[in-house]
């Protein structure tokens, strides 16, 4: 359990470093006003950020996901593994249920972390910036709005993460079985990369409109007076002003991010487990188990 936790944390760090620029673009596209849009699309947003703020602008708010990474992975690994064992059988349905449970529990840390990340990604660069970092951001929000402010977007985060993690683990389980991911297979790592990347894309597609709503709720009031009274009001106002396409805004950058993030996570987890376990991780002689490799090999979060 401890080894899987450490490997997952390392894989999560790699995933965040690879995927954060895409996440910054996604958030800016999601919350920009269509009355005065700053960006014409994913590529233009990338170019504008680099031109105006340098490459470092793409990594604004990086401290927040890294700060909560250890705790999130601890919850995801612990809850998913223990739930799967409690259910008594490793089946696709139980993989979904265990993943959904993990997604729901980790929202306690994920929601405040994403609130800080979103606000840091959207604040102006330079000395006029409002927040010095994720801790300062959450401290300021707490002083002004209390725990309710720190947990803004919790319900939308819960509605997003619970099915999303279920879809992630279900897709990963189905793909690893279909691909024949077995210990000792020389193509094990490429197969896991493919399964993980595809699972990440599937999980985002399953709940992406809720992610748009969550980002808008967490950014609400950052630039001007608050606009939304809750999830339903945010959906209503967004649809009325911009149509159904508003709920797909930033999807391209999200999907571009999903595959390499999960690929990086799986690769790192595999390397860490390989070095840590050494010969213990390799089957002896011809005794190769017939069952597909289970999620104990790698269980990354959707960061």
């Amino acid at each position: 359990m401890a080894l899987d936790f450490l490997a997952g944390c390392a894989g999560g760090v790699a995933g965040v470093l690879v995927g954060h620029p895409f996440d910054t673009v996604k958030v800016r596209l999601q919350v920009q006003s269509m009355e005065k849009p700053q960006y014409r699309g994913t590529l233009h947003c990338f170019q504008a950020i680099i031109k105006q703020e340098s490459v470092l602008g793409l990594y604004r708010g990086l401290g927040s996901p890294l700060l909560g990474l250890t705790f999130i992975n601890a919850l995801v690994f612990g809850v998913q593994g223990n739930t799967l064992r409690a259910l008594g059988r490793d089946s696709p349905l139980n993989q979904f249920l265990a993943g959904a449970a993990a997604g729901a529990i980790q929202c306690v840390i994920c929601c405040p972390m994403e609130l800080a990340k979103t606000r840091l990604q959207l604040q102006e660069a330079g000395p006029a910036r409002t927040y010095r970092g994720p801790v300062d951001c959450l401290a300021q929000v707490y002083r002004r709005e209390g725990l309710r402010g720190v947990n803004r977007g919790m319900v939308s985060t819960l509605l997003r993460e619970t099915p999303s993690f279920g879809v992630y683990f279900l897709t990963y389980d189905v793909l690893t079985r279909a691909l024949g991911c077995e210990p000792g297979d020389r193509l094990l790592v490429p197969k896991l990369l493919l399964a993980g990347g595809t699972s990440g894309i599937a999980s985002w597609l399953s709940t992406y409109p809720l992610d748009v709503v969550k980002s808008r709720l967490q950014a609400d009031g950052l630039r001007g007076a608050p606009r939304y009274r809750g999830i339903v009001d945010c959906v209503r106002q967004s649809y009325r002003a911009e149509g159904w396409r508003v709920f797909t805004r930033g999807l391209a950058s999200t999907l571009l991010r999903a595959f390499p993030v999960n690929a990086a996570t799986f690769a790192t987890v595999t390397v860490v487990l390989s070095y840590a376990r050494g010969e213990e991780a390799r089957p002896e002689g011809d005794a190769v188990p017939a069952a597909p490799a289970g999620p104990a090999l790698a269980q990354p979060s959707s960061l």
Side-chain angles (χ1 to χ4, degrees):
M1 178 64 76
L3 179 57
D4 290 334
F5 166 73
L6 292 174
C9 288
V13 170
V16 170
L17 292 176
V18 170
H20 194 77
F22 294 99
D23 190 66
T24 299
V25 171
K26 180 204 73 171
V27 170
R28 294 203 183 190
L29 288 171
Q30 285 177 338
V31 303
Q32 73 172 341
S33 170
M34 288 307 293
E35 298 170 2
K36 297 180 180 179
Q38 286 182 275
Y39 314 111
R40 296 189 298 271
T42 300
L43 181 59
H44 179 247
C45 186
F46 264 110
Q47 293 173 334
I49 292 174
I50 293 173
K51 183 178 180 180
Q52 296 168 11
E53 308 170 38
S54 80
V55 175
L56 295 178
L58 294 170
Y59 286 93
R60 181 170 297 165
L62 178 65
S64 179
L66 286 178
L67 187 67
L69 185 65
T70 299
F71 302 103
I72 285 179
N73 277 276
L75 286 173
V76 169
F77 279 78
V79 173
Q80 199 273 344
N82 284 307
T83 302
L84 194 59
R85 283 189 288 272
L87 291 171
R89 190 164 64 92
D90 182 4
S91 67
L93 175 60
N94 288 346
Q95 286 284 350
F96 177 86
L97 294 175
I105 295 297
Q106 60 94 42
C107 287
V108 176
I109 296 171
C110 176
C111 181
M113 182 194 77
E114 291 204 354
L115 174 73
K117 173 182 68 65
T118 298
R119 298 200 165 202
L120 288 167
Q121 286 172 327
L122 295 173
Q123 75 172 346
E124 300 293 335
R129 62 183 182 174
T130 306
Y131 311 113
R132 296 189 301 273
V135 175
D136 180 58
C137 176
L138 292 176
Q140 288 192 43
V141 172
Y142 178 77
R143 284 197 295 270
R144 291 195 305 267
E145 306 173 45
L147 283 175
R148 185 173 182 178
V150 171
N151 289 299
R152 177 181 293 182
M154 177 63 78
V155 175
S156 57
T157 302
L158 185 65
L159 291 174
R160 181 196 71 176
E161 295 290 83
T162 303
S164 176
F165 269 80
V167 170
Y168 179 89
F169 281 103
L170 171 61
T171 306
Y172 173 61
D173 181 68
V174 170
L175 287 176
T176 51
R177 291 175 189 273
L179 292 170
C181 296
E182 299 178 357
D185 184 352
R186 61 188 181 87
L187 295 177
L188 178 61
V189 172
K191 288 179 179 179
L192 289 176
L193 295 179
L194 176 61
T198 305
S199 300
I201 289 175
S203 66
W204 272 111
L205 287 173
S206 67
T207 59
Y208 190 78
L210 283 168
D211 186 65
V212 176
V213 174
K214 179 201 69 70
S215 293
R216 291 194 160 210
L217 288 172
Q218 291 186 327
D220 194 29
L222 186 60
R223 297 171 181 172
R227 298 176 54 190
Y228 309 120
R229 296 189 299 273
I231 295 175
V232 175
D233 185 54
C234 179
V235 171
R236 185 186 297 115
Q237 287 195 45
S238 298
Y239 178 76
R240 187 181 300 155
E242 305 169 47
W244 65 269
R245 290 184 182 275
V246 67
F247 300 111
T248 64
R249 186 176 299 162
L251 179 60
S253 61
T254 300
L255 297 182
L256 285 172
R257 167 183 176 265
F259 197 97
V261 163
N262 285 278
T265 303
F266 269 93
T268 304
V269 167
T270 303
V271 169
V272 171
L273 289 176
S274 178
Y275 274 104
R277 290 175 175 169
E279 293 301 321
E280 182 184 342
R282 302 187 184 96
E284 295 181 6
D286 296 325
V288 179
L297 182 62
Q299 295 178 349
S301 74
S302 61
L303 284 173

